[in-house]
């Protein structure tokens, strides 16, 4: 009966749609920024490489609860620092936490801030395994840095890109702390996630059996989504 009700639970399926939208909003930009930062910080001519790497990675080590409250203060519509800057440019305030779509953007911004440095470190480690002779040979053949990046660096990083994509997929489906602190799942259930639904049914509504059924269903969906993603990204590889 619990599984039957779970399949008809609109709130649960809306929460699944929410994480898909948040995933689509933040992941492409996060991976691109992380990869570009890794390429820049991998250059030998850059001074204070260790310092820059540490500063970019530092947000990932910050307490997500503290970061969530800080972002909430910054994005407040009436008194937030973000809207103060926007108003200073002569533009109207943005309802970061009070609008269905802008609240999802706000959660995505928090994820970008927290996880870009983590992915940058992974990409940086992978870049250091690429033999420099490949880039030197390409430059001797007349390739510029942009061509080297897209034709040599990105293809060689494909396994690492797939890894980061998969980890981000699983992590986004498991979001809990970020939307709980920043938006509380609102407005109008627009940033609620499956783990928030499971937690609420178990420890607020005390429906332990139903929460367990949702957990099994959620686990199955994540496994299927991960398998499909791996099949699509590995297509054409030997």
């Amino acid at each position: 009966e619990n599984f039957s009700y779970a399949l008809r639970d609109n709130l649960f399926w809306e929460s699944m749609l929410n994480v898909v939208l948040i995933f689509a909003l933040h992941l492409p930009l996060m991976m691109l920024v992380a990869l570009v930062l890794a390429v820049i910080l991998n250059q030998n001519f850059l001074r204070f490489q260790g310092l820059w790497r540490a500063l970019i990675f530092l947000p990932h080590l910050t307490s997500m609860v503290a970061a969530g409250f800080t972002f909430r203060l910054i994005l407040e519509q009436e008194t937030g620092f973000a809207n103060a800057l926007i108003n200073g440019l002569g533009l109207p305030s943005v309802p970061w936490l009070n609008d269905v779509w802008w609240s999802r953007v706000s959660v995505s911004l928090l994820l970008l801030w927290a996880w870009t440095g983590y992915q940058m470190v992974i990409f940086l480690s992978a870049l250091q395994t690429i033999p420099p002779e490949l880039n030197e040979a390409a430059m001797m053949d007349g390739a510029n840095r942009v061509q080297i990046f897209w034709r040599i660096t990105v293809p060689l990083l494909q396994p690492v890109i797939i890894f980061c994509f998969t980890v981000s997929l699983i992590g986004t489906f498991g979001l809990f702390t970020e939307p709980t602190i920043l938006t509380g799942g609102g407005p109008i259930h627009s940033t609620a996630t499956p783990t928030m639904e499971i937690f609420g049914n178990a420890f607020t509504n005390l429906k332990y059996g139903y929460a367990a059924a949702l957990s099994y269903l959620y686990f199955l969906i994540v496994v299927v989504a991960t398998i499909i993603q791996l099949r699509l990204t590995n297509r054409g590889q030997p």
Side-chain angles (χ1 to χ4, degrees), residues 64-70 72 110 176-185:
M64 195 51 60
V65 174
F69 278 115
T70 303
R72 188 169 181 175
L110 178 55
F176 181 82
T177 305
E178 295 89 341
T180 299
I181 299 298
L182 188 59
T183 62

Side-chain angles (χ1 to χ4, degrees), residues 40-54:
I40 294 173
L41 294 177
N42 194 44
Q43 305 302 316
N44 294 326
F45 61 81
L46 186 67
R47 300 182 62 185
F48 308 113
Q49 283 183 327
L51 175 62
W52 293 117
R53 294 171 184 176

Side-chain angles (χ1 to χ4, degrees), residues 27 31 118-119 121-123 126 157-171 226 229-230 233-234:
L27 185 76
M31 294 188 68
Y118 171 81
Q119 292 206 350
V121 169
I122 295 176
F123 284 135
L157 291 179
Q158 186 173 352
V160 179
I161 293 173
I162 293 172
F163 169 78
C164 289
F165 192 94
T166 304
V167 170
S168 298
L169 175 68
I170 297 172
T226 303
Q229 179 263 319
L230 288 174
T233 51
N234 286 323

Side-chain angles (χ1 to χ4, degrees), residues 10-199:
N10 291 332
L11 291 180
F12 177 74
W13 293 109
E14 285 178 11
S15 70
M16 293 297 300
L17 176 61
N18 290 337
V19 293
V20 170
L21 294 174
I22 293 171
F23 178 79
L25 282 172
H26 87 277
L27 185 76
L29 181 59
M30 180 174 68
M31 294 188 68
L32 178 61
V33 172
L35 183 54
V36 171
L37 288 174
V39 171
I40 294 173
L41 294 177
N42 194 44
Q43 305 302 316
N44 294 326
F45 61 81
L46 186 67
R47 300 182 62 185
F48 308 113
Q49 283 183 327
L51 175 62
W52 293 117
R53 294 171 184 176
L55 289 175
I56 295 173
F57 184 71
L58 186 61
H60 182 67
L61 303 178
T62 306
S63 167
M64 195 51 60
V65 174
F69 278 115
T70 303
F71 265 71
R72 188 169 181 175
L73 291 173
I74 292 173
L75 298 176
E76 281 287 345
Q77 184 168 353
E78 301 298 332
T79 60
F81 180 69
N83 277 336
L85 288 178
I86 293 173
N87 296 152
L89 297 173
L91 300 174
S93 297
V94 175
W96 297 103
L97 306 177
N98 302 320
D99 178 79
V100 170
W101 277 102
W102 280 112
S103 61
R104 292 167 179 156
V105 171
S106 300
V107 174
S108 299
L109 290 175
L110 178 55
L111 294 175
L112 278 169
W113 180 84
W115 289 93
T116 299
Y118 171 81
Q119 292 206 350
M120 184 269 295
V121 169
I122 295 176
F123 284 135
L124 186 60
S125 301
L127 284 171
Q128 293 175 352
T129 66
I130 298 177
E133 293 82 6
L134 293 177
N135 294 341
E136 293 171 2
M139 293 183 70
M140 291 180 64
D141 288 337
N144 56 42
R145 294 188 180 275
V146 175
Q147 291 172 326
I148 291 173
F149 177 77
W150 289 111
R151 300 293 182 89
I152 296 178
T153 304
V154 172
L156 290 176
L157 291 179
Q158 186 173 352
V160 179
I161 293 173
I162 293 172
F163 169 78
C164 289
F165 192 94
T166 304
V167 170
S168 298
L169 175 68
I170 297 172
T172 305
F173 271 82
L175 280 178
F176 181 82
T177 305
E178 295 89 341
T180 299
I181 299 298
L182 188 59
T183 62
I188 321 176
H189 204 258
S190 60
T191 56
T193 65
T195 50
M196 293 173 67
E197 287 296 312
I198 293 168
F199 183 89

